[in-house]
């Protein structure tokens, strides 16, 4: 990065402010969100704003400020087609799920893709190669990668790759609605604590008042107690639920917990599974945000916690607990709870299932039985846990599945007992759903050992795949003229282990094809100007994730 970029950024950080008029809306339309910053997602906090594009693709995307294209990444998954622009103030803006890039950028990318003969590519242009002014057209909006519908994913990052809420830079969304609180829970946090006589999590009934705030049903409690809420926010011009911006609590009038979704790093995003009640989420598909800092949670989102947000209810103190939840515009909702101290001599405890393996958090653990082993690195779990480890034939089960993992565990199978002719088709599958459907888990092989790395507990087995991928032409057939076609389209699929890679040539020369895993469609655009002959012989080879391959050949004609 040029020196003046760095000096400017250091100065800006010293002032501890975010420039409010530096970045402009990257679209021509008002910002309406399908996803907010910090919103709770599967295994991560949402790292930007998902801006609606009116349910369609092809809207103009502009550079939000002066700068240069510092990174381009095209992937079948994740952000799909994405562009990164570094700005003179040290920040970088990110634009994801794009459909197409604008002229000079598109030409730059296509040249590199043909040079490397690959669609998926990551590029790092120099500061002088693709220079932009604020408002320059950079792309068209799309639905590429892991997008669930047309929208623009927009981020702002600092020079340490920390993601910052774009709302802090003055981007606005129309919002006059207060957050909704859909659930409120109390957690006894040790063996002697209890709520309403129970030593397990208790849901507290809420009544919404005319003021918009909530009155919680009174509880009795004793000992160390934590709380949690289910809460979402909704904006004026959209009906989807988004995340909240800030949560604060007080205990007897004293602040004891505060978190806001202002900034976080990618490395810490995975710790969402310790921020929420992961077991509840896995079992009920509802995310409870803990209003206390649980064990070994390194999140920087916490702004202040008194005794980690945990309250200690004794027989001699007053007990009024309040929760205030607000969105970025300051609309807020509040819960007020009265707690009566009551020490029970007959605590009702939750029955805990017996398991056969004790896993110490700070030790490497290797579980072995017959020809199967599971390696658990240090600090895979947030605390010591007990697991069930069972092996039956070629299947291993590591349960319960509702434990959050921060590291990958390795599941390995010795396949030396298989015949040589069968070995190449072997892979490891996770057994998912009530019907235990085998789902391919990325499998590697060293000698007679196949293994997979996973962050999901459950059941894994050795499976066999000798089925070849399918290839079906969509807009042409062998021997036909297609002079008026703008594209060459095929459908490719592998139902067992999935498409691993593909390669297409025309008259022996590589042609670029874009693959959309959601539609299984493979497309070549003739405006690449790589197909220039009248008679053209297409050859497409598609390989699945265990090495089975199919070849499709056809001849087409163009004037």
């Amino acid at each position: 990065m040029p020196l003046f970029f760095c000096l400017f950024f250091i100065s800006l950080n010293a002032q501890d402010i975010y420039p409010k008029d530096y970045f402009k809306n990257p679209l021509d339309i008002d910002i309406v969100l399908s996803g907010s910053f910090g919103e709770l997602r599967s295994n991560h906090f949402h790292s930007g704003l998902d801006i609606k594009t009116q349910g369609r693709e092809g809207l103009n995307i502009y550079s939000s400020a002066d700068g240069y294209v510092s990174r381009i990444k095209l992937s079948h998954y994740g952000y799909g087609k994405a562009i990164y622009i570094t700005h003179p103030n040290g920040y970088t803006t990110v634009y994801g799920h794009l459909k197409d890039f604008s002229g000079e950028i598109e030409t730059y990318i296509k040249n590199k893709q043909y040079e490397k003969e690959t669609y998926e590519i990551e590029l790092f242009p120099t500061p002088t190669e693709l220079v932009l002014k604020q408002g320059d057209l950079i792309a068209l909006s799309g639905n590429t990668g892991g997008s669930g519908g047309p929208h623009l994913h927009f981020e702002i990052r600092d020079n340490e790759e920390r993601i910052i809420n774009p709302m802090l830079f003055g981007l606005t969304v129309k919002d006059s609605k207060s957050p909704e609180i859909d659930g409120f829970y109390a957690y006894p946090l040790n063996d002697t604590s209890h709520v309403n006589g129970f030593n397990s999590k208790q849901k507290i009934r809420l009544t919404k008042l005319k003021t918009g705030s909530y009155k919680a049903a009174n509880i009795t409690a004793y000992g160390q107690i934590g709380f949690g809420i289910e809460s979402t926010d909704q904006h004026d011009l959209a009906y989807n639920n988004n995340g909240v911006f800030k949560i604060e609590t007080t205990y007897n009038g004293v602040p004891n917990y505060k978190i806001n979704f202002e900034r976080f790093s990618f490395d810490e995003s995975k710790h969402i599974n310790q921020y929420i009640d992961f077991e509840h989420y896995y079992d009920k598909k509802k995310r409870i945000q803990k209003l206390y800092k649980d064990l070994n949670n390194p999140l920087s989102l916490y702004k202040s916690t008194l005794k980690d947000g945990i309250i200690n209810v004794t027989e001699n103190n007053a007990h009024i607990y309040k929760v205030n939840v607000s969105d970025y515009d300051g609309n807020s909702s509040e819960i007020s709870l009265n707690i009566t101290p009551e020490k029970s001599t007959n605590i009702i405890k939750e029955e805990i299932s017996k398991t056969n393996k004790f896993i110490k958090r700070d030790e490497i653990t290797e579980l072995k039985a017959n020809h199967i082993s599971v390696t658990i690195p240090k600090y895979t779990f947030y605390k010591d846990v007990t697991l069930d480890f069972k092996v039956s034939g070629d299947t291993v089960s590591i349960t319960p599945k509702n434990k959050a993992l921060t590291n990958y565990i390795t599941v390995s199978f010795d396949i030396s007992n298989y015949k040589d002719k069968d070995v190449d088709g072997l892979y490891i599958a996770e057994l998912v759903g009530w019907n235990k459907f085998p789902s391919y888990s990325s499998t590697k092989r060293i000698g007679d050992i196949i293994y997979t790395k996973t962050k999901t507990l459950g059941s894994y087995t050795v499976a066999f795949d000798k089925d070849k991928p399918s290839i079906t032409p969509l807009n042409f057939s062998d021997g036909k003229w297609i002079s008026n076609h703008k594209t060459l389209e095929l459908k490719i699929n592998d139902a067992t282990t999935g498409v691993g890679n593909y390669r297409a040539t025309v008259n022996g020369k590589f042609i670029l094809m874009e693959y959309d895993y959601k539609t299984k469609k493979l497309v070549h655009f003739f405006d690449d100007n790589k197909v220039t002959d009248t008679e053209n012989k297409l050859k497409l080879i598609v390989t699945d994730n265990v090495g089975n391959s199919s070849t499709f050949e056809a001849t087409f004609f163009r004037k």
Side-chain angles (χ1 to χ4, degrees), residues 79-106:
Y79 290 174
K81 294 184 178 183
I83 190 168
Y84 300 68
I85 300 173
T86 295
H87 305 280
N89 64 354
Y91 293 102
T92 295
T93 50
V94 183
Y95 313 74
H97 306 305
L98 305 172
K99 179 181 181 182
D100 295 303
F101 298 95
S102 63
E104 185 183 5
I105 301 172
E106 181 77 6

Side-chain angles (χ1 to χ4, degrees), residues 82 122 135 153 184 201 204 226 238 254 273 287 317 417 433 464 469 522:
E122 187 170 15
H153 176 86
F184 186 38
K201 174 181 64 188
I204 303 171
V254 178
N273 290 333
R287 293 184 176 94
N317 55 8
N417 61 319
F464 186 73
L522 197 61

Side-chain angles (χ1 to χ4, degrees), residues 155-355:
E155 293 178 13
I156 299 179
R157 304 180 183 182
D158 66 17
N159 68 344
E160 296 180 39
E161 282 292 293
R162 293 175 298 189
I163 319 101
I164 303 169
N165 192 334
M167 311 285 279
L168 293 164
F169 294 85
L171 299 181
T172 59
V173 177
K174 191 174 182 181
D175 185 4
S176 61
K177 300 178 183 178
S178 297
E180 293 288 332
I181 302 175
D182 302 310
F184 186 38
Y185 300 82
Y187 291 81
L189 296 179
N190 57 34
D191 289 341
T192 59
S193 302
H194 51 86
V195 174
N196 293 337
F198 289 84
N199 185 238
S200 56
K201 174 181 64 188
Q202 299 297 302
K203 187 170 186 178
I204 303 171
R205 181 171 52 84
L206 292 176
T207 302
K208 192 170 185 178
L209 306 176
K210 291 181 179 180
T211 60
S213 292
Y214 296 81
K215 179 73 173 80
N218 296 342
I219 64 170
T220 62
Y222 190 83
Q224 292 188 340
I225 309 295
F227 292 91
I229 59 168
E230 295 170 0
S231 184
T232 57
D233 187 45
Q234 199 175 80
H235 300 151
D236 289 1
L237 301 177
Y239 293 102
N240 51 282
N241 291 323
N242 295 317
V244 302
F245 176 68
K246 182 169 62 177
I247 307 173
E248 299 172 285
T249 71
T250 61
Y251 180 49
N252 297 328
V254 178
N256 81 318
Y257 173 91
K258 179 180 179 181
I259 189 169
N260 69 34
F261 293 92
E262 176 181 313
R263 183 184 71 186
F264 60 87
S265 69
F266 279 104
D267 288 344
E268 62 182 310
S269 190
K270 65 184 178 182
H271 297 297
I272 186 175
N273 290 333
Q274 185 68 339
Y275 170 66
I276 64 170
D277 181 339
F278 184 80
E279 293 184 12
H280 184 90
Y281 169 66
Y282 186 88
D283 296 336
K284 306 290 185 182
K285 306 307 177 193
K286 297 283 188 180
R287 293 184 176 94
I288 300 173
Q289 301 176 71
K290 300 174 190 172
L291 305 182
Y292 59 98
K293 191 174 181 180
D294 210 343
L295 290 172
N296 301 307
N297 188 342
L299 285 175
S300 64
L301 291 163
Y302 299 107
K303 299 308 171 186
S304 61
T305 58
L306 179 63
K307 298 180 180 178
D308 289 334
I310 297 167
I311 69 169
N312 189 31
V313 181
T314 68
E315 294 177 309
N316 301 318
N317 55 8
H319 310 284
I320 300 175
Y321 184 82
K322 291 187 176 182
V323 183
N324 187 277
V325 186
S326 57
D327 60 28
Y328 186 80
D329 284 310
N331 306 302
S332 65
S333 297
E334 186 174 84
I335 300 173
S336 181
L337 169 69
N338 292 324
I339 306 170
T340 300
E342 184 177 296
K343 187 174 184 179
S344 175
T345 57
N346 186 25
I347 304 172
I348 302 171
K349 295 193 175 184
E350 188 175 36
E351 185 174 343
I352 299 174
S353 300
K354 291 183 179 180
T355 54

Side-chain angles (χ1 to χ4, degrees), residues 10-62:
I10 292 169
S11 173
L12 184 65
N13 262 356
Q15 298 174 52
D16 196 26
I17 61 170
Y18 297 107
K20 297 296 189 295
D21 56 358
Y22 192 89
F23 297 107
K24 64 168 282 188
N25 180 353
L27 289 153
D28 286 322
I29 58 176
D30 289 340
I31 296 177
V32 179
L33 299 183
S34 59
S36 60
F37 183 85
E39 190 171 287
L40 310 181
R41 299 284 179 88
S42 180
N43 299 316
H44 69 283
F45 297 101
H46 187 233
S47 59
L49 302 179
D50 280 350
I51 304 175
K52 290 176 180 266
T53 55
Q54 301 175 333
R56 56 196 176 99
E57 301 179 37
L59 274 63
N60 288 343
I61 306 296
Y62 303 100

Side-chain angles (χ1 to χ4, degrees), residues 357-372:
K357 299 295 180 183
F358 179 72
I359 311 298
K360 286 188 66 66
R361 178 178 182 269
D362 59 355
E363 294 180 2
I364 298 173
T365 301
E366 188 162 18
L367 307 174
K368 285 186 175 181
N370 302 332
H371 59 298
I372 302 173

